Structure formats: C-alpha cells, structure tokens
Amino acid sequence: MIRRIPKDAMLVAGVIAITLGGTVLISSESPPGPLPLWLGFVLLAVTSLPLLVRQTRPVATVVAVVTGALLYQALDFPGGASTIPPAIALFTALTVGYRVLAVSATLVWVAGTLALGWVGTRPPGVQGTIWFVTSLVAIIILGEMSRHRREQLIAERERVTQAERAREEEAKRRVTEERLRIARELHDLLAHSISVINLQAGVSEHLIDRDPEQARRALGDIRRVSKEVLVELRGALGVLRDAGEGEEPLAPTPGMDRLPELVRRAKTGGIEVVLDLPEDSQELPKSVDLAVYRIVQEALTNIIKHARAARAEVSIRREAGDLLIEVRDDGVGWEEGTSGEGNGLVGMRERAMSLNGSFAAGLAPEGGFRVEARLPVRGLAA
C-alpha cells in the first residue's frame, strides 16, 4: 500500500489536470450552464479523488465516480472530459475481477448519460452517442483482457510456488530416506560383528582362569572379528560417501560371495551354521546382492543375540526369476514378553520391500524361528 500511494496520487493528479484542461477547451465552444464553471471544476476534482483507492476499494470507487459523473451532467456542465474518471474506475474494477459491478455500472452510466442528455439542454448527437457507447465497449473488452492476463500471472506464480514447494519436499524426503539408509547400513554392519565380539568376550571372561587356552582362542576371534568389522566399516563409509567426483569406494560392497565369512563368524559364536547356496554363479544385480548379504547377516545376528540356538540353516535358491532366502534355527523363537518386531526385522523387511520383494518372519511349525525373503531378479540391472 505504501509503495502504491505515490503512483495512484500521480494518476489522480494527471486525471484532474486532463479533465480540467479538456473542460476548459470544451466550454469555450459550448453554451454556458446555469452554474458557474468553477463549481464544475470542483466537482470534477472531487469525482477524481476516489481513484486513489480504486485498487483496494473498487466498489466504493465505481459508485462514487459514476455518481459524480452523472451529477456533473445533471447540473448541465460542459461534458466530454468528465468521462475520464468513470472510464478508469470501470477499467480497474474489471481488472481486479469485479465484472458484474463493472458491467452493471456501465449500463447505469450509459442509460443515465443518454437520459440526462435528452431531457437537458445538451442532447447527444448520433455520432457522440456511438462514440460514447463504443468507448465503453472498448473499456470493457480491454478490462477483461487485463483481468485475464492478471489471473494468468497469478496462476503462473502459484504454479511456480507449488513447484518450488514440491522440490523442497522432495529434497527433504530424499534426505530422510538417505539418513534411514545410512542408519540401516550401519546397524546391519555393526550389529552382527558386535554381537559376536560380545559373545566371545563373555566366553573369554568365563574361561580365563579355568581354560586359558580356550580363552586365548576367544580373544583371538575378537581381534580377528574386530579387524574385519573395521575394514568393512571403512568400506561402507566409502560407499555411503558421495562419489560424485569419480572416487572409487574404499572397499567393495558386500554380497552373496561373502556369506561363508558370515557363517564362519557365527560359528565362532558357538552356533553350527549350514549354508546352502545356488549351484549356478549367475551375477546378481548389486542391489539384490547387497540385500541378500544384509538379510542373512541380520538374521544370524538375531540368532546369536536372542535365539539361544545350537544350529541354524541358511538356504538361498532361485525360483521363477526370484531369489528365495530362508534362514531358520532351532532356538526359542521370540523371547517371552516381547513382540518380536525389533529393528532388525524391520530393516530386513524394508530391504525386501525396497526391491519390490516380500518378507516374512515368525515361529516355525517344527520349532525355532524362520526368516523368509523373496527378491525379484529379472528386470533389475546388474
């Protein structure tokens, strides 16, 4: 509003100057009216003042300006230039969307002007009437065009705003997904090895006095597993780091070829693990290869931490273009008083679902716990 006042004030000053100047010229060739001309000048100036608020109060502006123009004509002042303020008010009303008001006021103005002209001392001629009506029609058309253009600009700005908001929301969503992915990677990477280390540390602590040799072997397993997890953590962080500058990962992404290593780690925790892999060595897509490794890793981690099992079976086979993963144990299943749906199971399900696969976990009919995942292979890039 503060920035618009000077512009509107300049417009009103210009309108007053033009209408007064035009009226002076017209009055020199027209018969004088019953009232002094200076009263007409005052009425023209007062009629132009409502244009100051034509943008914020278009209804009041149209009513005041059209009423002032009809009053000016009813008092029999020289016409012509007095049509400028109403024309501007009607054009503005159309531009800001008050079409019904503008058309209605135009009809009232035309009817009133012609009626006052015919009953007064300055009847309009045919040429003047045609020019007057044509000018008003042109004002309505131009006002409609301006209104349409204004609405287009507003709609375009709204589309740009919505697009920017959508981009911001998409960026936030990607950041959230990336954080979840990193958290899942670190959880899967650390949980298994830390569980093995914790188990071996308990064994060495328990046997340090009674069986130093067995305790020494357990400490050796801790040293080896901790070294392996440091190497794997370094590689995982290299993979997670932005490789946009052409950097190669510091270590290859783990896959199905490293499952025997997981089995060996689990065996150091005192669990007999049987691994059954598919006979063919067909290369898997990297996303599927990593998912297989992480699902088996997390399943073995849960067995070590919670199942109190002596034996586990890991089976991976191909079936109708899918890769089936099954991990089962002979433990106690879910611990009493727990729901069984921990972060590990959630992470495995998310990995499977992210590849349009399926996941199921629960107590096996023959006892123990079973984890099953089906990952589609066909149609995925290697």
Side-chain angles (χ1 to χ4, degrees):
M1 183 65 183
I2 296 177
R3 298 177 61 183
R4 193 162 54 234
I5 288 178
K7 181 179 178 181
D8 291 339
M10 291 177 60
L11 173 66
V12 171
V15 169
I16 292 175
I18 292 174
T19 54
L20 294 184
T23 302
V24 170
L25 296 177
I26 294 172
S27 64
S28 62
E29 299 179 359
S30 300
L35 298 175
L37 188 58
W38 66 268
L39 288 178
F41 291 161
V42 173
L43 182 56
L44 286 176
V46 172
T47 302
S48 301
L49 289 178
L51 295 177
L52 286 170
V53 293
R54 73 191 194 284
Q55 297 280 359
T56 56
R57 298 181 180 178
V59 177
T61 300
V62 168
V63 172
V65 174
V66 171
T67 301
L70 293 176
L71 178 61
Y72 179 88
Q73 187 174 356
L75 295 176
D76 201 20
F77 290 113
S82 61
T83 60
I84 296 177
I88 295 176
L90 294 173
F91 177 83
T92 303
L94 283 168
T95 300
V96 297
Y98 287 80
R99 286 181 287 181
V100 176
L101 169 68
V103 173
S104 301
T106 299
L107 295 176
V108 171
W109 186 25
V110 171
T113 298
L114 296 178
L116 290 173
W118 286 326
V119 300
T121 59
R122 306 174 193 274
V126 176
Q127 182 177 358
T129 301
I130 293 175
W131 173 253
F132 178 61
V133 174
T134 302
S135 300
L136 292 182
V137 172
I139 290 172
I140 292 176
I141 293 174
L142 292 175
E144 273 294 295
M145 293 174 61
S146 177
R147 180 196 60 79
H148 182 67
R149 177 59 178 167
R150 179 190 181 100
E151 291 180 352
Q152 281 185 328
L153 292 176
I154 293 175
E156 182 64 27
R157 284 195 294 267
E158 181 64 23
R159 282 194 295 269
V160 171
T161 301
Q162 291 179 354
E164 292 178 352
R165 188 181 299 115
R167 284 194 294 270
E168 292 176 356
E169 292 176 354
E170 177 66 15
K172 292 179 180 178
R173 184 187 64 80
R174 290 182 178 180
V175 169
T176 300
E177 289 181 352
E178 183 65 11
R179 288 175 176 173
L180 292 175
R181 186 179 73 86
I182 292 174
R184 187 171 58 221
E185 287 290 333
L186 292 178
H187 173 273
D188 293 346
L189 172 63
L190 296 176
H192 176 79
S193 299
I194 297 301
S195 297
V196 173
I197 291 173
N198 180 70
L199 181 61
Q200 292 296 335
V203 171
S204 62
E205 182 182 19
H206 181 69
L207 299 176
I208 190 67
D209 294 325
R210 292 186 301 169
D211 192 347
E213 185 62 27
Q214 181 66 24
R216 185 178 297 107
R217 285 196 296 269
L219 291 173
D221 289 337
I222 292 175
R223 180 182 59 81
R224 185 176 62 257
V225 172
S226 61
K227 180 179 179 180
E228 291 173 354
V229 76
L230 286 175
V231 173
E232 192 170 350
L233 179 60
R234 185 168 177 260
L237 292 177
V239 172
L240 294 175
R241 188 177 60 229
D242 183 11
E245 299 178 358
E247 289 188 47
E248 293 294 331
L250 299 177
T253 302
M256 199 163 63
D257 60 327
R258 293 181 59 183
L259 291 181
E261 180 182 335
L262 285 180
V263 171
R264 180 179 57 78
R265 288 186 188 177
K267 288 181 178 179
T268 62
I271 300 175
E272 179 187 354
V273 181
V274 177
L275 177 62
D276 182 16
L277 296 176
E279 295 180 358
D280 63 278
S281 59
Q282 183 179 353
E283 184 179 0
L284 293 174
K286 292 182 179 180
S287 56
V288 175
D289 205 21
L290 175 62
V292 171
Y293 180 87
R294 294 305 187 198
I295 289 175
V296 174
Q297 182 185 50
E298 185 59 39
L300 291 178
T301 300
N302 287 343
I303 293 173
I304 294 173
K305 292 172 62 177
H306 307 297
R308 299 199 295 273
R311 190 174 187 276
E313 296 178 3
V314 178
S315 173
I316 300 175
R317 63 184 184 274
R318 296 181 183 272
E319 183 178 297
D322 294 340
L323 196 69
L324 272 64
I325 307 167
E326 184 177 3
V327 182
R328 63 175 64 197
D329 62 71
D330 60 355
V332 298
W334 286 326
E335 295 181 359
E336 186 178 355
T338 65
S339 65
E341 188 74 358
N343 291 331
L345 293 180
V346 172
M348 287 188 279
R349 177 175 287 106
E350 288 178 351
R351 284 191 181 275
M353 299 300 292
S354 67
L355 297 173
N356 296 322
S358 60
F359 178 84
L363 298 176
E366 63 276 15
F369 196 78
R370 181 174 58 190
V371 169
E372 295 180 347
R374 178 183 292 267
L375 305 179
V377 177
R378 291 186 301 182
L380 295 177

